[in-house]
Amino acid sequence: MKKQLSLFLLLAVLAMLLCGCNQYDDQYEDVGFLTDGTNHYATILWAGYTRTDKSYALRAGSFSGVNTLRSFAVEEDGTLCEVTSTLVANQGEAKLLVVNTVDRTLVAQWPLDSQDPMTVILPAGWYELRIAGKSAGFQGELGLMLNGQPLEWDGVWDTLKEMLTGTGESAMGKSIARLRDSFAEEQKAA
């Protein structure tokens, strides 16, 4: 009796976990959801690590939603952004996205199994490389280059520090300016 109850509970928990992983599947094509700046996802067995060749190895047993893989700054207009990927979806659907973080627009997207070159010319600004999935299982490696120079995956903290302490047209600077303007307008209205 105890074994049957234990088996039933184990199956119930497993079913709940599997059902929870597809809660974002209906938003796979929703551009607002994919670009809003928040990571919304449910996953089972997500793992990733930086390789010595500056690429990033990634694996997910099941992934639904959207997650930021790397934030990066483009310093000059006309910068060539190249994403190299050996990621292969073994179930569901998944795609890589480049998102402009200042105006929250989708700049480029490629399905994981794409045979097309994953390149885009970017103006100066702040961007994110994101992954979106629809009950997707995948594995492989990613690389990100700007004008032929590989970006290190471990450099994410340096990029965030630059965003927070930088001046000029950084995403953080623009956000703070918008908040100040909104506050000033509220003060004038009062």
Side-chain angles (χ1 to χ4, degrees):
M1 181 71 170
K2 277 187 172 184
K3 286 183 182 181
Q4 290 175 339
L5 182 60
S6 296
L7 181 60
F8 174 76
L9 290 174
L10 178 65
L11 289 174
V13 168
L14 183 59
M16 288 184 344
L17 285 173
L18 291 175
C19 291
C21 274
N22 64 7
Q23 68 184 347
Y24 297 113
D25 282 355
D26 60 340
Q27 295 176 315
Y28 183 71
E29 298 295 334
D30 183 346
V31 174
F33 173 80
L34 298 174
T35 62
D36 78 355
T38 304
N39 294 321
H40 309 275
Y41 64 90
T43 187
I44 296 176
L45 301 175
W46 176 279
Y49 63 93
T50 303
R51 298 176 39 92
T52 57
D53 65 357
K54 298 184 181 178
S55 66
Y56 190 73
L58 183 61
R59 169 182 287 210
S62 181
F63 173 81
S64 291
V66 63
N67 189 25
T68 301
L69 299 172
R70 176 71 159 88
S71 297
F72 59 98
V74 172
E75 296 179 9
E76 299 176 12
D77 286 344
T79 297
L80 175 65
C81 174
E82 298 173 82
V83 178
T84 57
S85 172
T86 63
L87 286 172
V88 176
N90 52 27
Q91 69 183 30
E93 297 177 61
K95 56 188 172 184
L96 295 170
L97 315 166
V98 175
V99 174
N100 180 315
T101 62
V102 175
D103 60 10
R104 289 290 169 210
T105 56
L106 183 60
V107 178
Q109 65 179 330
W110 306 280
L112 285 196
D113 302 326
S114 176
Q115 300 302 311
D116 296 332
M118 290 189 252
T119 60
V120 62
I121 303 294
L122 298 174
W126 292 95
Y127 298 89
E128 291 174 341
L129 177 63
R130 305 186 99 195
I131 189 164
K134 182 176 182 180
S135 296
F138 51 81
Q139 67 181 26
E141 298 171 17
L142 283 169
L144 179 61
M145 293 189 292
L146 297 178
N147 286 335
Q149 298 299 312
L151 292 181
E152 294 186 36
W153 291 91
D154 289 337
V156 172
W157 296 116
D158 294 332
T159 302
L160 289 174
K161 181 181 174 187
E162 184 179 328
M163 284 175 66
L164 293 172
T165 61
T167 59
E169 295 297 313
S170 70
M172 184 61 73
K174 284 187 174 184
S175 296
I176 290 170
R178 278 190 228 135
L179 286 172
R180 282 187 197 139
D181 292 345
S182 295
F183 182 71
E185 288 177 18
E186 290 292 323
Q187 293 289 19
K188 287 178 187 175

